[in-house]
Structure formats: structure tokens, C-alpha cells
Amino acid sequence: MYAFSNAVNSMHSEDIKQLMKQASGKSMISFAGGMPNNDLFPLKQIDAIYNSLPEDIKKLCFQYGPTSGYPPLVKSLENYLENKGLAVRNNKILITTGSLQAISIITQEFVNEGDIILTENPSFVGALSVFETFGAEIHSIPIDKDGIDIQALKDKINSLNRTPKFLYVTPNYHNPAGIIYTPKRKKELLEVLAGTGIILLEDDAYSDLYFEVEEKQLTRSMKSFGVKNVEIIYTGSFSKILGPGFRLGYMLSSEEIFEKAESVKQALDACTSNFMQILANEFLAQHKLEPYLEFLRSEYLERKNLLQRHLEAYMPKEITWNEPKGGFYIWLKLPAHIKSTDVFKETVKEGVVFVTGRTFDPASKKDDRLRLSYSNMPKDSIEKGVIILSTAIKKVLENSEVTLK
Amino acid sequence: MYAFSNAVNSMHSEDIKQLMKQASGKSMISFAGGMPNNDLFPLKQIDAIYNSLPEDIKKLCFQYGPTSGYPPLVKSLENYLENKGLAVRNNKILITTGSLQAISIITQEFVNEGDIILTENPSFVGALSVFETFGAEIHSIPIDKDGIDIQALKDKINSLNRTPKFLYVTPNYHNPAGIIYTPKRKKELLEVLAGTGIILLEDDAYSDLYFEVEEKQLTRSMKSFGVKNVEIIYTGSFSKILGPGFRLGYMLSSEEIFEKAESVKQALDACTSNFMQILANEFLAQHKLEPYLEFLRSEYLERKNLLQRHLEAYMPKEITWNEPKGGFYIWLKLPAHIKSTDVFKETVKEGVVFVTGRTFDPASKKDDRLRLSYSNMPKDSIEKGVIILSTAIKKVLENSEVTLK
């Protein structure tokens, strides 16, 4: 046994390893992975881009780049974010190796062991694993169908004897809860944070994946609201809109936060792959993103509709959920007396996997939910998967009644 | 001013930012950057690989992969490392986002704030920035032309009141010192560490870049010596042999160290780009690496010879150096009474940059050396660069004599 540091123990990174294993199990029907479907990637577009790169740019693909990012990509991202209403000019962009690295950098930048971080409950498991790795004390606040519970957030802040470093939220097409914050809830959230010194970490990986164009206005980021008395760090990702294999994300923050973040990134991996940055830049600069997103939106809408329809047809009446309006996830609610972990034990025997509710609880306890991802499976497997899942749930429900008697 | 964590201040990451800026200054003659030359990258080979990837593999390029690495690349690396004499079977490979990430992972895995790390002096500035970021207390041991000073290492270990977490060394074609450890010195180093509980972190980024084939045996890694009483973590990189833009490195360690490292990596960036891993795997699996390395070796030998010849022709007799037998660097020694920082102030006015000695001193003080990299500049600029450098050194020498009088 070696003298490991205090940082290395994280329950949630074990959960993720398990998740990765489930997601890559070939013969399984998997509702588990939060990744795009292999058949939807823009192979042809990237082929065309790669093969038309001028030789001098292609050479740059192989070389180191600045720690902050490949300058033309930073420029393209500025345009992209400005189109989303973000005030890029008074802020700085740092390109990261996936948006998980952005979360990791921000945590390293602000958090000493024992510092408090606030999260939603449920929360993105990847972020939880980062916070644990840096020894943060995580306090979580419940969410409902409109966003974080404002009263619970106020009560939590008032109950703490020291100021949390930041509040981590994923307001648009929440992972795992599938909801989108209402504009009212976003506004209320900013009001609660105003003047507290608690930084808002706004993780926005899914906002481009709304199903209907009328939804678009609801995806507006809190960073674009122009509030002066809340410091907001905004993170985004190429993983859901171009491919996780690129490992490209970014953060948008004030210059002071950017400067320190750049130094942290320098020590983490020096710079993000120029190769991937150059391909992504051409994708943006050649205006290939928006038509590709339109294709993705219709594909994911179709998958969501399929899953929704089959859930309606097969699920016992005790099971409820909110129909998502974008993103990758449906978050099923079970009766409080049964556990998603018990349902999982049944479905896995029949070749179906999903992610249990407790995975997304910072305390790894609350287990009356389960996450179904419709993004990454063949469309014709959805019905079969739902039948196996509903059969398993019925079995667990019946067993629980037997136990109650 | 925000409440940043204790981790964010690192002198050496500022040095690196400066270095990156210098290295990318277009009109400069730069001896600064430790990167391959843009004109030497294997563009044609990678083009051929990319365009012949089967569609199902190309889809994988866009997808997440396992945190530990793309399995076929792990397999190819096993073969590659076994050919280098490393006992891969009793160990595990973790693919990292550049070998700097491996160093970062290992540091996070073992080091709490205030823990001691031993390094060589001089030492790779990237590693120093990592160690500082994690709040380590760095103690350095001088090296001579044959490797680390064994007596100084013993004395240092005996003088400390707690056990250092690890000793970080780059024994093959040292950055910045250009030397290679003798087999005797490698053996002595292992004897000193035996039974102390100090892990050896063996960074081997340059060993494939020997100039003459007879050198190859001297590059043998200490991890391959089969010593039982020293724990050795071995790190390697694709940056110097395929291109830094790939951001691909790896670490080879015992399974227990691998397991924790995998969890840390999970929280840093989830996984390394599948896209880059798949291209690199094909490069190895299709046996394209060895012929490409032969080409690189002859190219860098030619550049080294040019630099060596011009230094002999132009440098004042007070300046000494050891001619390197591989790698990227010549490490000039100045008379003790002048500083490389003062030389730099002169050369930069004339359009020549290099890296000052103090950059590589963990204490940022010792400044009677300077690093010249011959890897990354047009061959026909070397003579002009040396003339400007030698003129600047003469000027600083003369000024120092005036001051002495």
C-alpha cells in the first residue's frame, strides 16, 4: 500500500467506471450512456475538412499550440457564443480538453480541501467525481420541474457557517433530470446569489439540442443576462454536438479567473490537441455546425418520441416522468418504496442497462429515480428495452408488496 | 480579487507562458522551443492512415473511449514497450493527454500540499510547474555529465525529516542538460532508492531519438532493470516522435498505482481523444514508427552537427558544453560571473531567443547556463543565430570585466 494523497478517493469515479463498462457492453440494450449515437457523427463533413486543409495548417495540427487555445478556434467560438447572446468581449475563452476539464480546472483554481461546493440534486456524476477528487464538501439542493428549489437554496446558504466557493448547475436539458429551467427560475437563482460571493458555475452542454425552435429562447444562458453582482463562469462542450472523441470544451469567464485557469491548464496538459481544435474550427468557420445541429435535433426528437410513446404504452401507472423538450434524458420516478438499484438487478439479467438514481445523488443514497438516455441506441431497440424495463419494474413492485404484507 | 485556492500560484507556469510566446514569435530565430520542426511531421503517413480507416473505426474516433485508453493502442504500446525491454505484463498502461498529464496525475495521486518531491537540477520546467501547482516542496539535486550526483542525492535524503514522495528524473537525453545517464549511474541511483519508499518517476520522452544506433543500449530504462525494491513509474510521450498536437502520452506502473491514476484521470478529462489514439495506434500497428524514427534521427543529427560546428567556430573560449548524443538540446555553460538572463536581453534585441538557465532551476536562481534547442528551426538559420548569440555573450562578458575593474 502506497502513501496516496488525500485526493484520490472518489465514490463517483467508481460509478463512472461502472457506467463506461455498461455503456460499452456490446450485446446490451443500453439506456445508460450519455453520448451521441455512433451513426449520427459528421464523418463526411470532417473527411471533407481534413482533406482540404492547406499543408501549412495541417502541419499546425501536429504541433503544440497556445495553452489558452488555437486562436482561430477562439475567434470562431467568440462568434458562436455572441450569437447565443453571451457578452464575450468583456470575458475570455479558455479551450479545454472536454468541458469536464473546465470543471476540473475551476475546481482546482478555487477549492481547497474541505471547502464547500453547492450542487443540484440530482447532479452530473462527472462533476461530482471532480469535486470529490479535490476534497470538497458537497451540499446539494433539490430541483423540481422548473429548476433548482429557490427556498431550499436560500435555507442552505443561510445554514452554512462559511461561504461556498461556487454553485454548480446545468440549467438547460439537465443531466440527468431532463428539465430546462424556466426564465423565472433562472432570474430568481441570480437574485439569491447576488452579493453572496458565491460564484455561479453554469454548465451548458446541451442547449443546442432543443427539439422545437420555439424552445430556443428558453435556453438563454444566465451569463448572458448581464447581471453585475454575480460572478458567472460559463462552460460548454463539443461532445454532444460534434463528438466526444474530439475532447473539446471551453470556459468563458472574467479575465482574472481566465488567467489563473490558464496556469492550471498549463500544468494539466499544456494545451488541448491542435489537431482536434483545427478540425472543430473549420466546422464552425465553414458554417457546418447549424445545418448539422438541425439534423441532430430531428434525430433526437424522433428518438425521444419513440421512447416517450413506448413508456406510455408499457409503464405501470405508478411510474411518472416529465417529457423532455431537448437533450438526451428521461428521468423516471419510481414509487418511494422501491429502488432503482433493485430494478437494475432485474433488467441487467435480461440485457438492459440504465443509470440508477443514486449515481446522481452527491450522497449516493436517494434511489427512487432512474435515467434513461435515448441518444445512443438503435431506434428499433427502444421498444424491446422498454418492455424489459417495465416488466422488471412490475416485478420489483410486486415483490415490494409481498414484503409489505 | 477572488478566493483562489492555494494551488494556483506557480512561478514556472509563468516561465512557460513566456516560453510559448517566444517560441511562436514568427520573425525570431528561436533556439527556445522544445518541439519538433513543423517540416518533419509525418503528414503523408497520417493522411494515408486517416483515409483508409474503415467506417466503423472512424465512427469510434468521434466517440468516448475507456478512461484507461483505446484498447488497441494499449496493445500496440505493450508491444512497443516490450521491444524496449520493459516488463509490461506485470504492470498496466494508462494513456494520458500528453505525458505532462501523466506527471500531473501522478502528482495528484501522491502529493498533499507540503509533501516533498525530489528533482534533478536542472529539471524539465513543465514538471516543475506541476509540482508547484500541487503545493509540493521541491528539493533538487545537481547532475553532472553522467547523471544525477549520487553523493548529493544520499546527503539530501539523509538530511530530510520526512520521506519524499518521489524522485523525478529524465535520464535519457535530458531536458535541458542534453546528457544521457551512464548505465553505472542508473544502477547507483536505484541502489540509493532501494528500500527508502521513495518512488522513482522515470520520464522518458526522448530515448528513441538517439543519433547513432550504438547509443540505443544506453537508453535502456531503469524500469526495465527488474529491480524489486524500488517502485518505478515510467512515463512516455508521442510528442517528440509523432507530434505534440496529438496530446498523447502514457504511464506504465504497478496495477495498484494504475487503478488510482485511472480514477484521477477520470476527473481530469474523462478520457483522451479517441480520434488521436486511433491514428497513433495505426501508426504503430502498421509499423510506420520505426522507419519514421530513422528519418527523424538523421534529421536531428544533422541539425545537432550544424549547431555544434557553428558553436565551435563562433563561441568565445569561456563557453563550454557537452556535445549531445541524442534528443533536442545543447546546454551551454557560461562563466559563473555572468547571467544567461543578461545574454537573453541582448539577443532578443537582435531577434534570437533561447531559454535561460534559471528557468530550469526549481529555485529560479542558478543562471550560468542556457538551453539551445536545435530541433525546431530552419537549418539555414542556425549559423546566423549562433553569430548573434556569441556576439551577445562577448558583449556581456566585456561589460562584466568593465564592472569588475
mmCIF file with all atom_site columns, all heavy atoms in Angstrom, chain A residues 42 45 241 283-284 286-298:
data_model
loop_
_atom_site.group_PDB
_atom_site.id
_atom_site.type_symbol
_atom_site.label_atom_id
_atom_site.label_alt_id
_atom_site.label_comp_id
_atom_site.label_asym_id
_atom_site.label_entity_id
_atom_site.label_seq_id
_atom_site.pdbx_PDB_ins_code
_atom_site.Cartn_x
_atom_site.Cartn_y
_atom_site.Cartn_z
_atom_site.occupancy
_atom_site.B_iso_or_equiv
_atom_site.pdbx_formal_charge
_atom_site.auth_seq_id
_atom_site.auth_comp_id
_atom_site.auth_asym_id
_atom_site.auth_atom_id
_atom_site.pdbx_PDB_model_num
ATOM 1   N N   . PRO A 1 42  ? -20.692 13.464 -37.760 1.00 0.00 ? 42  PRO A N   1
ATOM 2   C CA  . PRO A 1 42  ? -20.495 14.111 -39.073 1.00 0.00 ? 42  PRO A CA  1
ATOM 3   C C   . PRO A 1 42  ? -19.231 13.647 -39.783 1.00 0.00 ? 42  PRO A C   1
ATOM 4   O O   . PRO A 1 42  ? -18.325 14.436 -40.061 1.00 0.00 ? 42  PRO A O   1
ATOM 5   C CB  . PRO A 1 42  ? -20.423 15.601 -38.702 1.00 0.00 ? 42  PRO A CB  1
ATOM 6   C CG  . PRO A 1 42  ? -19.839 15.619 -37.319 1.00 0.00 ? 42  PRO A CG  1
ATOM 7   C CD  . PRO A 1 42  ? -20.342 14.371 -36.638 1.00 0.00 ? 42  PRO A CD  1
ATOM 8   N N   . GLN A 1 45  ? -18.515 15.351 -43.284 1.00 0.00 ? 45  GLN A N   1
ATOM 9   C CA  . GLN A 1 45  ? -18.098 16.748 -43.169 1.00 0.00 ? 45  GLN A CA  1
ATOM 10  C C   . GLN A 1 45  ? -16.634 16.848 -42.698 1.00 0.00 ? 45  GLN A C   1
ATOM 11  O O   . GLN A 1 45  ? -15.859 17.654 -43.216 1.00 0.00 ? 45  GLN A O   1
ATOM 12  C CB  . GLN A 1 45  ? -18.985 17.503 -42.180 1.00 0.00 ? 45  GLN A CB  1
ATOM 13  C CG  . GLN A 1 45  ? -20.448 17.658 -42.606 1.00 0.00 ? 45  GLN A CG  1
ATOM 14  C CD  . GLN A 1 45  ? -21.352 16.558 -42.074 1.00 0.00 ? 45  GLN A CD  1
ATOM 15  O OE1 . GLN A 1 45  ? -20.994 15.373 -42.141 1.00 0.00 ? 45  GLN A OE1 1
ATOM 16  N NE2 . GLN A 1 45  ? -22.521 16.940 -41.570 1.00 0.00 ? 45  GLN A NE2 1
ATOM 17  N N   . ILE A 1 241 ? -22.373 17.820 -29.622 1.00 0.00 ? 241 ILE A N   1
ATOM 18  C CA  . ILE A 1 241 ? -22.756 18.389 -30.924 1.00 0.00 ? 241 ILE A CA  1
ATOM 19  C C   . ILE A 1 241 ? -21.769 18.078 -32.044 1.00 0.00 ? 241 ILE A C   1
ATOM 20  O O   . ILE A 1 241 ? -22.041 18.353 -33.196 1.00 0.00 ? 241 ILE A O   1
ATOM 21  C CB  . ILE A 1 241 ? -22.948 19.927 -30.840 1.00 0.00 ? 241 ILE A CB  1
ATOM 22  C CG1 . ILE A 1 241 ? -21.652 20.625 -30.423 1.00 0.00 ? 241 ILE A CG1 1
ATOM 23  C CG2 . ILE A 1 241 ? -24.077 20.260 -29.870 1.00 0.00 ? 241 ILE A CG2 1
ATOM 24  C CD1 . ILE A 1 241 ? -21.749 22.144 -30.482 1.00 0.00 ? 241 ILE A CD1 1
ATOM 25  N N   . PHE A 1 283 ? -15.111 23.390 -38.855 1.00 0.00 ? 283 PHE A N   1
ATOM 26  C CA  . PHE A 1 283 ? -16.532 23.031 -38.780 1.00 0.00 ? 283 PHE A CA  1
ATOM 27  C C   . PHE A 1 283 ? -17.380 24.267 -38.461 1.00 0.00 ? 283 PHE A C   1
ATOM 28  O O   . PHE A 1 283 ? -18.426 24.488 -39.062 1.00 0.00 ? 283 PHE A O   1
ATOM 29  C CB  . PHE A 1 283 ? -16.722 21.949 -37.709 1.00 0.00 ? 283 PHE A CB  1
ATOM 30  C CG  . PHE A 1 283 ? -17.971 21.132 -37.859 1.00 0.00 ? 283 PHE A CG  1
ATOM 31  C CD1 . PHE A 1 283 ? -18.028 20.084 -38.773 1.00 0.00 ? 283 PHE A CD1 1
ATOM 32  C CD2 . PHE A 1 283 ? -19.091 21.381 -37.085 1.00 0.00 ? 283 PHE A CD2 1
ATOM 33  C CE1 . PHE A 1 283 ? -19.179 19.316 -38.909 1.00 0.00 ? 283 PHE A CE1 1
ATOM 34  C CE2 . PHE A 1 283 ? -20.258 20.626 -37.215 1.00 0.00 ? 283 PHE A CE2 1
ATOM 35  C CZ  . PHE A 1 283 ? -20.297 19.585 -38.131 1.00 0.00 ? 283 PHE A CZ  1
ATOM 36  N N   . LEU A 1 284 ? -16.900 25.065 -37.512 1.00 0.00 ? 284 LEU A N   1
ATOM 37  C CA  . LEU A 1 284 ? -17.614 26.304 -37.161 1.00 0.00 ? 284 LEU A CA  1
ATOM 38  C C   . LEU A 1 284 ? -17.453 27.354 -38.255 1.00 0.00 ? 284 LEU A C   1
ATOM 39  O O   . LEU A 1 284 ? -18.425 27.956 -38.717 1.00 0.00 ? 284 LEU A O   1
ATOM 40  C CB  . LEU A 1 284 ? -17.088 26.867 -35.838 1.00 0.00 ? 284 LEU A CB  1
ATOM 41  C CG  . LEU A 1 284 ? -17.374 26.084 -34.561 1.00 0.00 ? 284 LEU A CG  1
ATOM 42  C CD1 . LEU A 1 284 ? -16.820 26.834 -33.344 1.00 0.00 ? 284 LEU A CD1 1
ATOM 43  C CD2 . LEU A 1 284 ? -18.866 25.851 -34.363 1.00 0.00 ? 284 LEU A CD2 1
ATOM 44  N N   . GLN A 1 286 ? -16.676 27.236 -41.347 1.00 0.00 ? 286 GLN A N   1
ATOM 45  C CA  . GLN A 1 286 ? -17.303 26.947 -42.643 1.00 0.00 ? 286 GLN A CA  1
ATOM 46  C C   . GLN A 1 286 ? -18.829 26.808 -42.530 1.00 0.00 ? 286 GLN A C   1
ATOM 47  O O   . GLN A 1 286 ? -19.479 26.294 -43.441 1.00 0.00 ? 286 GLN A O   1
ATOM 48  C CB  . GLN A 1 286 ? -16.696 25.670 -43.244 1.00 0.00 ? 286 GLN A CB  1
ATOM 49  C CG  . GLN A 1 286 ? -15.228 25.785 -43.609 1.00 0.00 ? 286 GLN A CG  1
ATOM 50  C CD  . GLN A 1 286 ? -14.655 24.484 -44.185 1.00 0.00 ? 286 GLN A CD  1
ATOM 51  O OE1 . GLN A 1 286 ? -15.387 23.656 -44.710 1.00 0.00 ? 286 GLN A OE1 1
ATOM 52  N NE2 . GLN A 1 286 ? -13.345 24.298 -44.065 1.00 0.00 ? 286 GLN A NE2 1
ATOM 53  N N   . HIS A 1 287 ? -19.358 27.226 -41.374 1.00 0.00 ? 287 HIS A N   1
ATOM 54  C CA  . HIS A 1 287 ? -20.815 27.228 -41.151 1.00 0.00 ? 287 HIS A CA  1
ATOM 55  C C   . HIS A 1 287 ? -21.452 25.848 -41.337 1.00 0.00 ? 287 HIS A C   1
ATOM 56  O O   . HIS A 1 287 ? -22.533 25.717 -41.899 1.00 0.00 ? 287 HIS A O   1
ATOM 57  C CB  . HIS A 1 287 ? -21.502 28.255 -42.053 1.00 0.00 ? 287 HIS A CB  1
ATOM 58  C CG  . HIS A 1 287 ? -20.944 29.631 -41.891 1.00 0.00 ? 287 HIS A CG  1
ATOM 59  N ND1 . HIS A 1 287 ? -21.173 30.402 -40.771 1.00 0.00 ? 287 HIS A ND1 1
ATOM 60  C CD2 . HIS A 1 287 ? -20.091 30.340 -42.672 1.00 0.00 ? 287 HIS A CD2 1
ATOM 61  C CE1 . HIS A 1 287 ? -20.522 31.546 -40.898 1.00 0.00 ? 287 HIS A CE1 1
ATOM 62  N NE2 . HIS A 1 287 ? -19.835 31.539 -42.030 1.00 0.00 ? 287 HIS A NE2 1
ATOM 63  N N   . LYS A 1 288 ? -20.730 24.828 -40.903 1.00 0.00 ? 288 LYS A N   1
ATOM 64  C CA  . LYS A 1 288 ? -21.289 23.471 -40.990 1.00 0.00 ? 288 LYS A CA  1
ATOM 65  C C   . LYS A 1 288 ? -22.050 23.086 -39.727 1.00 0.00 ? 288 LYS A C   1
ATOM 66  O O   . LYS A 1 288 ? -22.753 22.073 -39.700 1.00 0.00 ? 288 LYS A O   1
ATOM 67  C CB  . LYS A 1 288 ? -20.155 22.461 -41.227 1.00 0.00 ? 288 LYS A CB  1
ATOM 68  C CG  . LYS A 1 288 ? -19.503 22.566 -42.596 1.00 0.00 ? 288 LYS A CG  1
ATOM 69  C CD  . LYS A 1 288 ? -18.482 21.446 -42.766 1.00 0.00 ? 288 LYS A CD  1
ATOM 70  C CE  . LYS A 1 288 ? -17.547 21.669 -43.939 1.00 0.00 ? 288 LYS A CE  1
ATOM 71  N NZ  . LYS A 1 288 ? -18.224 21.760 -45.241 1.00 0.00 ? 288 LYS A NZ  1
ATOM 72  N N   . LEU A 1 289 ? -21.897 23.867 -38.650 1.00 0.00 ? 289 LEU A N   1
ATOM 73  C CA  . LEU A 1 289 ? -22.495 23.449 -37.382 1.00 0.00 ? 289 LEU A CA  1
ATOM 74  C C   . LEU A 1 289 ? -24.020 23.530 -37.415 1.00 0.00 ? 289 LEU A C   1
ATOM 75  O O   . LEU A 1 289 ? -24.705 22.573 -37.054 1.00 0.00 ? 289 LEU A O   1
ATOM 76  C CB  . LEU A 1 289 ? -21.945 24.277 -36.211 1.00 0.00 ? 289 LEU A CB  1
ATOM 77  C CG  . LEU A 1 289 ? -22.515 23.888 -34.839 1.00 0.00 ? 289 LEU A CG  1
ATOM 78  C CD1 . LEU A 1 289 ? -22.197 22.442 -34.485 1.00 0.00 ? 289 LEU A CD1 1
ATOM 79  C CD2 . LEU A 1 289 ? -22.004 24.819 -33.739 1.00 0.00 ? 289 LEU A CD2 1
ATOM 80  N N   . GLU A 1 290 ? -24.568 24.665 -37.856 1.00 0.00 ? 290 GLU A N   1
ATOM 81  C CA  . GLU A 1 290 ? -26.019 24.856 -37.735 1.00 0.00 ? 290 GLU A CA  1
ATOM 82  C C   . GLU A 1 290 ? -26.809 23.826 -38.554 1.00 0.00 ? 290 GLU A C   1
ATOM 83  O O   . GLU A 1 290 ? -27.733 23.203 -38.015 1.00 0.00 ? 290 GLU A O   1
ATOM 84  C CB  . GLU A 1 290 ? -26.402 26.303 -38.085 1.00 0.00 ? 290 GLU A CB  1
ATOM 85  C CG  . GLU A 1 290 ? -27.816 26.702 -37.688 1.00 0.00 ? 290 GLU A CG  1
ATOM 86  C CD  . GLU A 1 290 ? -28.230 26.327 -36.250 1.00 0.00 ? 290 GLU A CD  1
ATOM 87  O OE1 . GLU A 1 290 ? -27.422 26.470 -35.302 1.00 0.00 ? 290 GLU A OE1 1
ATOM 88  O OE2 . GLU A 1 290 ? -29.377 25.868 -36.082 1.00 0.00 ? 290 GLU A OE2 1
ATOM 89  N N   . PRO A 1 291 ? -26.449 23.572 -39.830 1.00 0.00 ? 291 PRO A N   1
ATOM 90  C CA  . PRO A 1 291 ? -27.193 22.520 -40.558 1.00 0.00 ? 291 PRO A CA  1
ATOM 91  C C   . PRO A 1 291 ? -27.053 21.138 -39.901 1.00 0.00 ? 291 PRO A C   1
ATOM 92  O O   . PRO A 1 291 ? -28.014 20.367 -39.867 1.00 0.00 ? 291 PRO A O   1
ATOM 93  C CB  . PRO A 1 291 ? -26.560 22.520 -41.954 1.00 0.00 ? 291 PRO A CB  1
ATOM 94  C CG  . PRO A 1 291 ? -25.433 23.482 -41.925 1.00 0.00 ? 291 PRO A CG  1
ATOM 95  C CD  . PRO A 1 291 ? -25.508 24.297 -40.690 1.00 0.00 ? 291 PRO A CD  1
ATOM 96  N N   . TYR A 1 292 ? -25.869 20.878 -39.341 1.00 0.00 ? 292 TYR A N   1
ATOM 97  C CA  . TYR A 1 292 ? -25.687 19.582 -38.677 1.00 0.00 ? 292 TYR A CA  1
ATOM 98  C C   . TYR A 1 292 ? -26.546 19.499 -37.425 1.00 0.00 ? 292 TYR A C   1
ATOM 99  O O   . TYR A 1 292 ? -27.170 18.461 -37.139 1.00 0.00 ? 292 TYR A O   1
ATOM 100 C CB  . TYR A 1 292 ? -24.202 19.369 -38.363 1.00 0.00 ? 292 TYR A CB  1
ATOM 101 C CG  . TYR A 1 292 ? -23.929 18.112 -37.571 1.00 0.00 ? 292 TYR A CG  1
ATOM 102 C CD1 . TYR A 1 292 ? -24.231 16.857 -38.101 1.00 0.00 ? 292 TYR A CD1 1
ATOM 103 C CD2 . TYR A 1 292 ? -23.381 18.189 -36.292 1.00 0.00 ? 292 TYR A CD2 1
ATOM 104 C CE1 . TYR A 1 292 ? -24.002 15.706 -37.366 1.00 0.00 ? 292 TYR A CE1 1
ATOM 105 C CE2 . TYR A 1 292 ? -23.136 17.034 -35.552 1.00 0.00 ? 292 TYR A CE2 1
ATOM 106 C CZ  . TYR A 1 292 ? -23.453 15.805 -36.092 1.00 0.00 ? 292 TYR A CZ  1
ATOM 107 O OH  . TYR A 1 292 ? -23.226 14.669 -35.357 1.00 0.00 ? 292 TYR A OH  1
ATOM 108 N N   . LEU A 1 293 ? -26.631 20.606 -36.680 1.00 0.00 ? 293 LEU A N   1
ATOM 109 C CA  . LEU A 1 293 ? -27.477 20.631 -35.478 1.00 0.00 ? 293 LEU A CA  1
ATOM 110 C C   . LEU A 1 293 ? -28.950 20.400 -35.833 1.00 0.00 ? 293 LEU A C   1
ATOM 111 O O   . LEU A 1 293 ? -29.670 19.713 -35.101 1.00 0.00 ? 293 LEU A O   1
ATOM 112 C CB  . LEU A 1 293 ? -27.328 21.973 -34.746 1.00 0.00 ? 293 LEU A CB  1
ATOM 113 C CG  . LEU A 1 293 ? -26.057 22.137 -33.913 1.00 0.00 ? 293 LEU A CG  1
ATOM 114 C CD1 . LEU A 1 293 ? -25.969 23.564 -33.384 1.00 0.00 ? 293 LEU A CD1 1
ATOM 115 C CD2 . LEU A 1 293 ? -26.019 21.133 -32.764 1.00 0.00 ? 293 LEU A CD2 1
ATOM 116 N N   . GLU A 1 294 ? -29.378 20.967 -36.961 1.00 0.00 ? 294 GLU A N   1
ATOM 117 C CA  . GLU A 1 294 ? -30.778 20.747 -37.363 1.00 0.00 ? 294 GLU A CA  1
ATOM 118 C C   . GLU A 1 294 ? -31.049 19.266 -37.581 1.00 0.00 ? 294 GLU A C   1
ATOM 119 O O   . GLU A 1 294 ? -32.083 18.735 -37.167 1.00 0.00 ? 294 GLU A O   1
ATOM 120 C CB  . GLU A 1 294 ? -31.100 21.557 -38.618 1.00 0.00 ? 294 GLU A CB  1
ATOM 121 C CG  . GLU A 1 294 ? -31.404 23.011 -38.265 1.00 0.00 ? 294 GLU A CG  1
ATOM 122 C CD  . GLU A 1 294 ? -31.548 23.900 -39.481 1.00 0.00 ? 294 GLU A CD  1
ATOM 123 O OE1 . GLU A 1 294 ? -31.953 23.402 -40.567 1.00 0.00 ? 294 GLU A OE1 1
ATOM 124 O OE2 . GLU A 1 294 ? -31.256 25.114 -39.351 1.00 0.00 ? 294 GLU A OE2 1
ATOM 125 N N   . PHE A 1 295 ? -30.081 18.615 -38.212 1.00 0.00 ? 295 PHE A N   1
ATOM 126 C CA  . PHE A 1 295 ? -30.192 17.167 -38.401 1.00 0.00 ? 295 PHE A CA  1
ATOM 127 C C   . PHE A 1 295 ? -30.238 16.441 -37.053 1.00 0.00 ? 295 PHE A C   1
ATOM 128 O O   . PHE A 1 295 ? -31.113 15.595 -36.806 1.00 0.00 ? 295 PHE A O   1
ATOM 129 C CB  . PHE A 1 295 ? -29.006 16.692 -39.258 1.00 0.00 ? 295 PHE A CB  1
ATOM 130 C CG  . PHE A 1 295 ? -28.700 15.235 -39.155 1.00 0.00 ? 295 PHE A CG  1
ATOM 131 C CD1 . PHE A 1 295 ? -29.508 14.285 -39.784 1.00 0.00 ? 295 PHE A CD1 1
ATOM 132 C CD2 . PHE A 1 295 ? -27.597 14.788 -38.428 1.00 0.00 ? 295 PHE A CD2 1
ATOM 133 C CE1 . PHE A 1 295 ? -29.219 12.931 -39.679 1.00 0.00 ? 295 PHE A CE1 1
ATOM 134 C CE2 . PHE A 1 295 ? -27.299 13.438 -38.319 1.00 0.00 ? 295 PHE A CE2 1
ATOM 135 C CZ  . PHE A 1 295 ? -28.121 12.503 -38.954 1.00 0.00 ? 295 PHE A CZ  1
ATOM 136 N N   . LEU A 1 296 ? -29.328 16.804 -36.143 1.00 0.00 ? 296 LEU A N   1
ATOM 137 C CA  . LEU A 1 296 ? -29.290 16.150 -34.831 1.00 0.00 ? 296 LEU A CA  1
ATOM 138 C C   . LEU A 1 296 ? -30.596 16.341 -34.070 1.00 0.00 ? 296 LEU A C   1
ATOM 139 O O   . LEU A 1 296 ? -31.123 15.405 -33.465 1.00 0.00 ? 296 LEU A O   1
ATOM 140 C CB  . LEU A 1 296 ? -28.151 16.724 -33.969 1.00 0.00 ? 296 LEU A CB  1
ATOM 141 C CG  . LEU A 1 296 ? -26.739 16.206 -34.179 1.00 0.00 ? 296 LEU A CG  1
ATOM 142 C CD1 . LEU A 1 296 ? -25.834 16.788 -33.091 1.00 0.00 ? 296 LEU A CD1 1
ATOM 143 C CD2 . LEU A 1 296 ? -26.674 14.685 -34.160 1.00 0.00 ? 296 LEU A CD2 1
ATOM 144 N N   . ARG A 1 297 ? -31.117 17.582 -34.094 1.00 0.00 ? 297 ARG A N   1
ATOM 145 C CA  . ARG A 1 297 ? -32.348 17.876 -33.346 1.00 0.00 ? 297 ARG A CA  1
ATOM 146 C C   . ARG A 1 297 ? -33.490 16.984 -33.789 1.00 0.00 ? 297 ARG A C   1
ATOM 147 O O   . ARG A 1 297 ? -34.224 16.424 -32.980 1.00 0.00 ? 297 ARG A O   1
ATOM 148 C CB  . ARG A 1 297 ? -32.738 19.348 -33.548 1.00 0.00 ? 297 ARG A CB  1
ATOM 149 C CG  . ARG A 1 297 ? -31.886 20.310 -32.766 1.00 0.00 ? 297 ARG A CG  1
ATOM 150 C CD  . ARG A 1 297 ? -32.189 21.769 -33.156 1.00 0.00 ? 297 ARG A CD  1
ATOM 151 N NE  . ARG A 1 297 ? -31.132 22.635 -32.662 1.00 0.00 ? 297 ARG A NE  1
ATOM 152 C CZ  . ARG A 1 297 ? -30.529 23.600 -33.361 1.00 0.00 ? 297 ARG A CZ  1
ATOM 153 N NH1 . ARG A 1 297 ? -30.891 23.859 -34.609 1.00 0.00 ? 297 ARG A NH1 1
ATOM 154 N NH2 . ARG A 1 297 ? -29.560 24.304 -32.812 1.00 0.00 ? 297 ARG A NH2 1
ATOM 155 N N   . SER A 1 298 ? -33.621 16.811 -35.095 1.00 0.00 ? 298 SER A N   1
ATOM 156 C CA  . SER A 1 298 ? -34.742 15.998 -35.582 1.00 0.00 ? 298 SER A CA  1
ATOM 157 C C   . SER A 1 298 ? -34.508 14.524 -35.228 1.00 0.00 ? 298 SER A C   1
ATOM 158 O O   . SER A 1 298 ? -35.438 13.803 -34.887 1.00 0.00 ? 298 SER A O   1
ATOM 159 C CB  . SER A 1 298 ? -34.944 16.192 -37.085 1.00 0.00 ? 298 SER A CB  1
ATOM 160 O OG  . SER A 1 298 ? -33.891 15.583 -37.789 1.00 0.00 ? 298 SER A OG  1
#
